[in-house]
Amino acid sequence: MRTNPPVLAVHGGAGNWSEEMLEKAKLELAKALERGYEEFRRGSSLEAVVEAVAYMEDSGVFNAGVGAVPTERGTRRTDAGVMLGPGLKVGAVGNTRLKNPIRAALRVLQEGRHVLIVSEGAEEVSGSPSQGVFDTVGAVALDKDGTLAAATSTGGIAGKREGRIGDSPIPGAGFYATYESASSCTGVGEYIMRVLPAKEVDILISMGFDAESAALAVTRKMTRLFGDNTFGIIVLDKYGNFGYAFNTRAMPRGLKDSVRTLVEGP
Ligand code: ASP
């Protein structure tokens, strides 16, 4: 789908969504789009994806931030990553107690010294209204200067072992951004980390695929290798083409550009 930059797209995770929760998620996605889009006035795609994701971390409707699903010991641990196309700048955090791990990931990116920090933050995940069925969140953006950015944040998989980290904070797996493409993935981290679909989409796009066919191609591959109910992705390319695909029952998603706002699901 062709869009009119600046453009921001978000997803609320691929999963087995009920109709009722899907409606709640779509309302929150619309607000996250509004919140992130404001950033284009003063900032770039990097701020847009971070603020959209931070909004979703705060909402409690998604498996991220305050809505993070519990581990097998009943604790909550969050992972997030963010990447800016120009300079391949990237920052990520894993296994944190932070309610806004995306902001910590942004600090890692800005500092520029490391890519992934695994830490126990000072700020505890609080609130925890999670009902255990929701999913990871992500955002991709392209600003007027042609800068692409991607961000993903998650509470991981319900009942995960303490210390488990999935794809979400791993560049090329749960998120990726270059001069060519920006992607955010969702699904079973243990499968996603073996394929690196966000990286694969970038390769396909640099070979001439459009965002839609690249998203479909990697999703078909994930389905072939690991079956249904394993994966979802949103993708933007440098021309503002948007694509998405998923092999689960639903993946609520939304897009806002200079002329329209769309929020959809399943
Ligand atoms: N990909 C996330 C993880 O494995 C979970 C999800 O997308 O729902 O941590």
Side-chain angles (χ1 to χ4, degrees):
M1 175 207 274
R2 197 75 197 227
T3 66
N4 303 283
V7 53
L8 171 66
V10 293
H11 71 77
N16 189 22
W17 289 83
S18 69
E19 278 311 312
E20 190 197 339
M21 289 317 303
L22 209 46
E23 289 315 307
K24 277 195 193 170
K26 288 195 299 197
L27 290 176
E28 288 299 287
L29 290 180
K31 292 185 198 156
L33 284 172
E34 286 300 323
R35 179 64 203 88
Y37 207 83
E38 275 172 30
E39 295 298 316
F40 287 130
R41 274 195 228 127
R42 43 182 179 265
S44 69
S45 47
L46 181 64
E47 286 78 25
V49 294
V50 168
E51 290 310 319
V53 165
Y55 179 89
M56 295 186 278
E57 289 175 338
D58 287 338
S59 86
V61 169
F62 304 100
N63 170 20
V66 301
V69 293
T71 65
E72 65 181 4
R73 289 200 208 147
T75 60
R76 291 170 204 272
R77 296 291 182 266
T78 58
D79 310 326
V82 60
M83 188 159 180
L84 182 64
L88 301 177
K89 292 188 175 157
V90 58
V93 292
N95 198 35
T96 83
R97 299 174 187 227
L98 299 168
K99 81 174 181 59
N100 289 118
I102 198 63
R103 296 200 190 283
L106 178 64
R107 284 196 292 278
V108 175
L109 179 154
Q110 286 165 336
E111 208 180 87
R113 188 168 167 213
H114 301 297
V115 166
L116 172 60
I117 303 284
V118 179
S119 71
E120 301 255 313
E123 189 190 1
E124 285 282 334
V125 176
S126 59
S128 301
S130 172
Q131 291 165 44
V133 293
F134 318 124
D135 245 310
T136 297
V137 301
V140 292
L142 174 69
D143 62 28
K144 280 217 157 120
D145 302 326
T147 298
L148 287 156
T152 300
S153 179
T154 190
I157 290 201
K160 68 185 179 183
R161 270 182 66 174
E162 287 284 308
R164 178 264 190 195
I165 292 176
D167 59 298
S168 304
I170 310 294
F175 68 106
Y176 206 55
T178 67
Y179 290 98
E180 300 281 345
S181 77
S183 301
S184 172
C185 299
T186 163
V188 183
E190 282 67 14
Y191 297 148
I192 296 173
M193 285 187 284
R194 295 173 207 199
V195 170
L196 307 179
K199 173 71 184 174
E200 197 154 314
V201 155
D202 187 62
I203 294 171
L204 292 174
I205 286 179
S206 62
M207 287 167 56
F209 276 61
D210 60 50
E212 217 162 317
S213 358
L216 280 172
V218 295
T219 303
R220 284 204 197 102
K221 183 174 193 170
M222 289 296 290
T223 311
R224 240 185 0 257
L225 288 169
F226 306 114
D228 279 328
N229 297 314
T230 54
F231 186 66
I233 186 167
I234 57 172
V235 183
L236 267 177
D237 69 20
K238 64 179 169 190
Y239 305 109
N241 294 308
F242 174 68
Y244 70 88
F246 55 96
N247 65 16
T248 58
R249 178 156 157 204
M251 183 182 72
R253 62 211 169 265
L255 178 145
K256 184 171 172 65
D257 69 6
S258 59
V259 295
R260 71 199 142 169
T261 302
L262 293 173
V263 179
E264 295 177 333

